[in-house]
Amino acid sequence: MKFGRKIKEDMYGAWRNEYLDYNGLKTELKRRTSPGPWSNQDENEFTRILDAELQKIHKFQTAKIQELSSRINSAEREVKRLVENYEVDEGQEGSGSEDHSSQLEAGQEDDYADYDDLDESDDGYSVEDKFRQLEEEVAILVADVHDLALYTKLCYTGFIKIVKKHDKQTGRTLGLTFLYDFLARRPFHRYDWDLLIIKLSKLYDLVRTRGHPVQGDSSAGGTQNAFVRQTTKYWVHPDNLVALKLAILRHLPVLVFDRNKEFERRDAAITSVYLDNEDLELYLGRLEKTEGAEAIRLRWYGDMDVKQVFVERKTHREDWTGEKSVKARFPIKEQNVNAFLRGEYIMDEEFEALIAKGKKNPQEVESMIQLANEVQYAVLDRKLQPVLRTFYHRTAFQLPGDARVRISLDTELTMVREDNWDGRRRSGDNWRRTDIGIDAPFEQLPAEDRESFKYGVLEVKLQTQMGQEPPTWVTDLVNSHLVEAVPKFSKFIHGCSTLLPNRVDLIPFWLPQMDIDILKPDTGAAHFERPSHTSSASTSSSPHAQTPQPYAEPLSEGEEDEEVAIAIARDEDKTAGLDPAAATEAISYRESFLQQKAREDEAKKNRNGGQRLHEEPSSSEDDERTAFLKRRKSSSATAPRPRNLSIDPLTPSSFFDKRFKSTFSRERLRPSGSALDDTEEHHDYDNQLEPGVSNWNGDVEYVREWRAQHGKKISVPVRIEPKVYFAAERTFLRWLQFSVVIGSIATVLLNFIQPDDMRGLISAAAFTVASLLSIAYSCGIFVYRAYKLRAREAEGLYYDKFGPTALALVLFAALATNLGLRWQE
């Protein structure tokens, strides 16, 4: 699909004139390059037009954001006014109540100018009717925020594509100028959508609860020392971040810890420093999911100047133990962290003082003291030290005081080395490095010291220990196109495996699959529809009845690949001005040509088939704990893959400038005639390797064959517990035991009957057949299950619903034959 056509299809009709005039810029570029060489006058004129478009878009976005913010504030005030009027009407009688209401309306007429349609007919509408009108207004606001984010994405993508087209056709470098001059003055792509989303969430919650939002502890479990939850993790493509947040806030409000304080970006910052030793003992334990594996980290919320730090310990429990994995933590003052890690400071007195203050009971304090002593002993005994820092911004969705359903979305995830193992002093003798703060992605650090994660990480935490089923909307959300399930994903494991490649021999299963694009066709899960009575339909709605089309990278004019360029045109008589007979002949010729080409491509594919790398043979070392892969050296040098410019305008803005700069720097140094084609400009997966092969620093490759489940992008290995093999063997032995009993009956009949007793011989033969059938069937089932388990296939004949019934019928027939023959005798 051409990008100009994509803008027309995805744009919101009411804002049609505010979008980037991509086709106009492309036409202007073609008009000036056709007559002759590109002159300085052409460059200045094109730059002026480009700057005018950027100014138009930045001005519209700024005005629209202010308008949305004003509409949200006005709607919030209207909700409060309705609640106040309703409470006054309940407390007063007769005309006194009406007079008071009219005074309120007269005094606040200016504040609620946007809602005159609600106020003019107060006598004709009930409070519930007005709340329904507010619900429609909130639905419009949600759709507007979504469409404005999509507007930003499309315009930014258009700028990148037209600037790259300019550089390719003129031979000049406008990219760096566009980055440092144009976008620096009007950074419309760097807007933080959380500012609007949090306001919208508060309004949505007010309208949904009719002005009485749920009250409770906003820490939502933060005051608990130990808690057990069922957690599932997902990856979120940057293009889906805003849509996902808007989809969740319709059911859960954004969790705000201090409602009286204006939201700041640093309020959502979370930083953790993980401890480990030089053998990476904790990393291997968490990766292999061994029983009792621990992860110890120091976590703080907000900026670097916080005074309180939490020491947390996560303990993994295997399913066969019947216990759940537990996270426990205790607070410590930042100034005491170094002394605590060296064993020079204990927490006993500080925790016991909490009893005197009435903040904790003796049982809680005893558990905190025990936890602190165990963590301190583990740090000293295992020689743990700071290894890795993780930083991200978290948006949490939860009803205050209700932790049954909690959803958190982490963005701008960046991992930083904290160790001093390679001779470089990073954290030194301190428990964390001080040369960085919360200014992710920490461009002041060397590239080998930091790793940016390109996706958002969604965690769905459910408390279902009482047998509760998750809400339907949660199930629909996690099964939608917005997320990709990656069970057991760990920021600590990912950071160690990417930043310490020379120290790890085992890597997580998702690491070789990072080049796979997880963007999936729209399933209609994010359905932001404006009410039907509005003047224009929203482009953000995705009707479920529409068949989702596979995602295709948008192409600009002249960027079509061969297959798109020769697509069959069904309307040639209109577009080319041909008569119907000539158009029919042209279409017939083109269809025959395409069919012939398809047959040739199929023949070529068959000749070149079978060249894909296969899975390594199973061995005793490749056990059932395959949540990781082995790294091995590449047998031959592989040319490094070019990293293309990923245009994800809904992702946090700090990632754009760095990648934009590096891409155009490479374009400037690239020899003439070797510039990347525009079809490679948007996603890294255009150049991805064969499935199962991935480069690592140019000299390491991951070899693994995987097939993702239907509707999924990331293949998750099936973990088989050792008890499963034993269960299969035990079932086989029980069948053999039963077969031996039946065979013994047949042997007794053969040995103790007369040789001329034909009825006895028939009965013995019947039991013998039953025994042999049982042995043969159980052996076949055992071999079948063994192969399925070895192949890690979850689907198979693990539940045998026919075998026992068939055996019972055969045994019944043998017994009936014996009884019948003896009765006849």
Side-chain angles (χ1 to χ4, degrees):
M1 180 188 297
K2 296 180 180 180
F3 185 73
R5 185 186 307 168
K6 181 174 178 59
I7 289 184
K8 292 182 180 179
E9 292 183 357
D10 291 349
M11 69 169 51
Y12 175 39
W15 305 343
R16 181 177 301 275
N17 297 328
E18 306 297 336
Y19 283 81
L20 173 69
D21 187 12
Y22 180 79
N23 290 329
L25 290 171
K26 188 172 58 176
T27 302
E28 181 70 17
L29 185 63
K30 183 181 296 185
R31 184 182 67 83
R32 292 180 177 273
T33 54
S34 299
W38 186 267
S39 63
N40 291 333
Q41 181 180 357
D42 294 330
E43 181 74 8
N44 294 333
E45 185 64 20
F46 184 79
T47 302
R48 185 192 63 79
I49 298 175
L50 197 66
D51 185 63
E53 286 292 316
L54 180 59
Q55 182 177 1
K56 177 189 72 173
I57 292 170
H58 181 257
K59 181 179 179 180
F60 174 76
Q61 186 203 49
T62 303
K64 201 64 182 177
I65 289 174
Q66 294 176 353
E67 175 193 335
L68 289 173
S69 181
S70 176
R71 288 165 57 190
I72 291 173
N73 293 335
S74 298
E76 185 176 342
R77 291 194 298 267
E78 174 66 13
V79 172
K80 294 180 180 179
R81 186 185 71 87
L82 289 176
V83 174
E84 291 175 358
N85 288 349
Y86 177 76
E87 292 176 350
V88 169
D89 290 342
E90 290 292 322
Q92 298 183 4
E93 296 179 358
S95 60
S97 172
E98 297 178 0
D99 293 340
H100 183 76
S101 299
S102 61
Q103 292 173 6
L104 283 175
E105 293 175 8
Q108 300 177 355
E109 182 178 357
D110 295 336
D111 292 339
Y112 309 122
D114 293 338
Y115 293 91
D116 291 339
D117 57 332
L118 298 181
D119 298 337
E120 288 175 357
S121 55
D122 281 348
D123 295 336
Y125 291 94
S126 66
V127 174
E128 184 63 26
D129 292 334
K130 296 177 183 179
F131 270 114
R132 291 196 183 98
Q133 295 181 21
L134 283 173
E135 286 179 347
E136 294 182 357
E137 173 64 17
V138 172
I140 297 175
L141 286 170
V142 170
D144 283 348
V145 172
H146 177 268
D147 285 342
L148 189 59
L150 183 60
Y151 166 88
T152 304
K153 169 190 171 182
L154 292 173
C155 293
Y156 185 81
T157 304
F159 276 121
I160 299 302
K161 295 176 82 69
I162 200 66
V163 169
K164 191 172 182 182
K165 184 180 288 292
H166 164 276
D167 292 356
K168 181 180 179 181
Q169 295 183 6
T170 65
R172 303 198 180 194
T173 304
L174 180 61
L176 293 178
T177 304
F178 183 75
L179 171 64
Y180 288 114
D181 186 13
F182 290 71
L183 285 181
R185 287 186 284 110
R186 301 179 184 89
F188 75 98
H189 64 292
R190 304 187 63 177
Y191 180 72
D192 184 8
W193 296 104
D194 283 350
L195 300 176
L196 270 182
I197 289 176
I198 290 178
K199 291 182 179 180
L200 191 58
S201 171
K202 182 179 179 181
L203 173 61
Y204 211 112
D205 193 37
L206 281 173
V207 175
R208 179 172 51 234
T209 59
R210 297 302 186 256
H212 298 85
V214 178
Q215 303 294 330
D217 182 11
S218 296
S219 60
T223 58
Q224 302 174 11
N225 292 325
F227 41 93
V228 179
R229 292 193 183 105
Q230 177 186 357
T231 304
T232 310
K233 297 183 180 181
Y234 305 85
W235 288 353
V236 184
H237 194 277
D239 287 359
N240 295 330
L241 287 175
V242 173
L244 180 64
K245 291 178 181 179
L246 293 176
I248 297 175
L249 67 82
R250 292 187 293 188
H251 305 277
L252 288 177
V254 176
L255 187 63
V256 179
F257 293 94
D258 188 357
R259 294 180 177 271
N260 299 323
K261 176 180 175 295
E262 187 70 18
F263 173 77
E264 298 180 7
R265 188 60 175 163
R266 64 180 181 179
D267 296 338
I270 299 179
T271 313
S272 303
V273 174
Y274 288 85
L275 308 182
D276 208 339
N277 51 34
E278 294 194 33
D279 296 329
L280 294 180
E281 182 181 346
L282 300 188
Y283 166 82
L284 290 176
R286 299 295 295 183
L287 181 60
E288 296 177 332
K289 298 298 179 183
T290 56
E291 166 59 25
E294 295 180 348
I296 298 177
R297 67 189 180 197
L298 305 167
R299 168 171 290 188
W300 69 95
Y301 303 88
D303 214 333
M304 296 286 291
D305 56 355
V306 296
K307 303 300 182 182
Q308 187 179 62
V309 177
F310 290 93
V311 181
E312 299 183 352
R313 182 184 67 181
K314 300 175 70 175
T315 306
H316 173 71
R317 297 300 181 189
E318 290 284 79
D319 295 336
W320 55 266
T321 63
E323 301 181 8
K324 294 291 184 180
S325 299
V326 176
K327 180 175 75 174
R329 68 178 185 177
F330 62 88
I332 184 174
K333 295 180 180 179
E334 192 276 333
Q335 60 187 9
N336 298 328
V337 173
N338 286 323
F340 176 80
L341 296 180
R342 292 193 299 264
E344 302 171 357
Y345 179 80
I346 59 176
M347 305 292 299
D348 295 23
E349 294 183 1
E350 185 174 337
F351 289 158
E352 289 174 353
L354 298 177
I355 301 178
K357 297 178 181 179
K359 296 182 177 180
K360 298 288 182 182
N361 57 48
Q363 291 78 12
E364 292 176 333
V365 169
E366 182 179 356
S367 124
M368 294 171 64
I369 292 176
Q370 180 181 356
L371 174 63
N373 293 335
E374 291 177 354
V375 170
Q376 190 174 49
Y377 177 80
V379 171
L380 299 175
D381 182 59
R382 298 184 177 184
K383 299 180 180 179
L384 304 181
Q385 53 188 294
V387 173
L388 178 77
R389 175 186 298 196
T390 63
F391 170 84
Y392 48 87
H393 287 108
R394 169 165 292 184
T395 304
F397 300 86
Q398 179 183 349
L399 291 174
D402 186 355
R404 288 177 298 176
V405 179
R406 173 170 178 163
I407 298 178
S408 62
L409 179 59
D410 301 335
T411 55
E412 291 186 87
L413 173 58
T414 308
M415 288 142 285
V416 178
R417 289 187 64 173
E418 292 275 350
D419 64 277
N420 309 309
W421 295 336
D422 56 357
R424 294 184 54 188
R425 290 182 63 83
R426 296 181 176 89
S427 59
D429 297 330
N430 194 30
W431 66 277
R432 62 179 178 182
R433 61 192 305 167
T434 57
D435 55 344
I436 58 174
I438 59 173
D439 52 336
F442 312 115
E443 295 183 358
Q444 66 271 31
L445 298 180
E448 60 272 14
D449 277 9
R450 53 188 168 86
E451 173 72 16
S452 297
F453 192 72
K454 62 181 179 180
Y455 298 129
V457 179
L458 180 76
E459 294 188 33
V460 179
K461 302 177 182 180
L462 302 174
Q463 285 187 346
T464 57
Q465 66 271 23
M466 302 303 293
Q468 301 172 347
E469 292 293 332
T472 304
W473 69 268
V474 175
T475 305
D476 295 338
L477 182 70
V478 300
N479 291 328
S480 70
H481 70 285
L482 298 175
V483 299
E484 176 66 28
V486 186
K488 308 301 181 184
F489 173 76
S490 168
K491 305 178 182 72
F492 170 55
I493 292 175
H494 185 84
C496 288
S497 60
T498 53
L499 293 175
L500 302 171
N502 298 326
R503 288 183 173 269
V504 299
D505 294 324
L506 300 178
I507 60 174
F509 69 88
W510 63 80
L511 190 59
Q513 305 182 64
M514 288 299 298
D515 288 335
I516 297 177
D517 185 74
I518 64 172
L519 197 62
K520 293 180 284 190
D522 190 358
T523 60
H527 189 62
F528 305 107
E529 186 178 13
R530 290 176 172 82
S532 57
H533 65 268
T534 56
S535 59
S536 177
S538 171
T539 60
S540 60
S541 62
S542 300
H544 293 270
Q546 182 178 0
T547 303
Q549 299 296 328
Y551 175 80
E553 174 60 23
L555 303 176
S556 298
E557 183 177 347
E559 300 172 355
E560 301 92 343
D561 56 20
E562 182 181 2
E563 190 172 5
V564 175
I566 61 176
I568 299 175
R570 298 295 180 182
D571 55 352
E572 284 194 5
D573 55 340
K574 300 177 181 179
T575 58
L578 300 177
D579 58 89
T584 304
E585 182 179 357
I587 294 174
S588 176
Y589 172 78
R590 185 164 296 147
E591 287 180 343
S592 61
F593 175 77
L594 289 178
Q595 292 174 2
Q596 181 181 356
K597 182 179 183 297
R599 288 193 295 268
E600 293 176 356
D601 292 343
E602 184 67 23
K604 183 185 295 185
K605 180 179 178 182
N606 294 335
R607 287 195 302 268
N608 298 333
Q611 297 182 0
R612 188 172 60 171
L613 295 178
H614 294 281
E615 183 178 359
E616 295 178 87
S618 299
S619 63
S620 58
E621 297 178 356
D622 188 15
D623 62 6
E624 57 278 348
R625 297 178 183 271
T626 314
F628 50 86
L629 303 175
K630 298 180 180 180
R631 174 184 290 136
R632 75 178 191 184
K633 296 293 181 181
S634 174
S635 58
S636 62
T638 306
R641 286 184 53 204
R643 291 183 64 85
N644 302 324
L645 179 64
S646 178
I647 303 173
D648 297 325
L650 301 189
T651 201
S653 58
S654 51
F655 287 97
F656 292 143
D657 296 342
K658 172 191 169 187
R659 304 189 70 177
F660 194 56
K661 174 183 175 183
S662 62
T663 297
F664 279 103
S665 298
R666 289 195 302 272
E667 290 290 344
R668 183 178 57 180
L669 299 176
R670 189 185 305 275
S672 61
S674 63
L676 291 176
D677 187 72
D678 287 346
T679 56
E680 299 173 347
E681 67 184 22
H682 191 37
H683 283 286
D684 290 342
Y685 59 79
D686 292 333
N687 295 322
Q688 68 184 14
L689 301 175
E690 289 287 341
V693 184
S694 178
N695 286 342
W696 182 265
N697 292 335
D699 61 347
V700 177
E701 67 177 6
Y702 305 117
V703 181
R704 194 78 174 182
E705 179 185 348
W706 55 70
R707 289 196 310 270
Q709 298 179 352
H710 178 69
K712 302 296 182 182
K713 294 287 187 176
I714 301 300
S715 173
V716 180
V718 179
R719 180 180 179 182
I720 302 177
E721 301 283 354
K723 62 182 181 181
V724 177
Y725 289 99
F726 297 144
E729 294 176 0
R730 185 165 56 249
T731 304
F732 175 56
L733 293 177
R734 292 300 299 270
W735 274 79
L736 286 184
Q737 180 182 2
F738 194 76
S739 302
V740 169
V741 173
I742 300 176
S744 300
I745 296 174
T747 303
V748 170
L749 289 176
L750 287 175
N751 291 334
F752 288 95
I753 62 174
Q754 298 298 325
D756 56 350
D757 189 355
M758 187 56 63
R759 294 183 177 84
L761 292 175
I762 295 175
S763 298
F767 282 103
T768 302
V769 170
S771 177
L772 294 177
L773 288 177
S774 176
I775 293 174
Y777 179 81
S778 61
C779 183
I781 289 295
F782 173 71
V783 172
Y784 172 81
R785 288 173 175 170
Y787 276 112
K788 285 290 186 180
L789 292 175
R790 193 170 302 174
R792 289 182 169 83
E793 295 184 11
E795 296 181 358
L797 194 59
Y798 298 114
Y799 169 67
D800 189 359
K801 57 183 178 181
F802 301 112
T805 303
L807 177 63
L809 293 177
V810 171
L811 184 59
F812 176 80
L815 290 173
T817 300
N818 185 34
L819 291 175
L821 292 175
R822 291 304 175 186
W823 180 267
Q824 183 179 3
E825 183 183 4

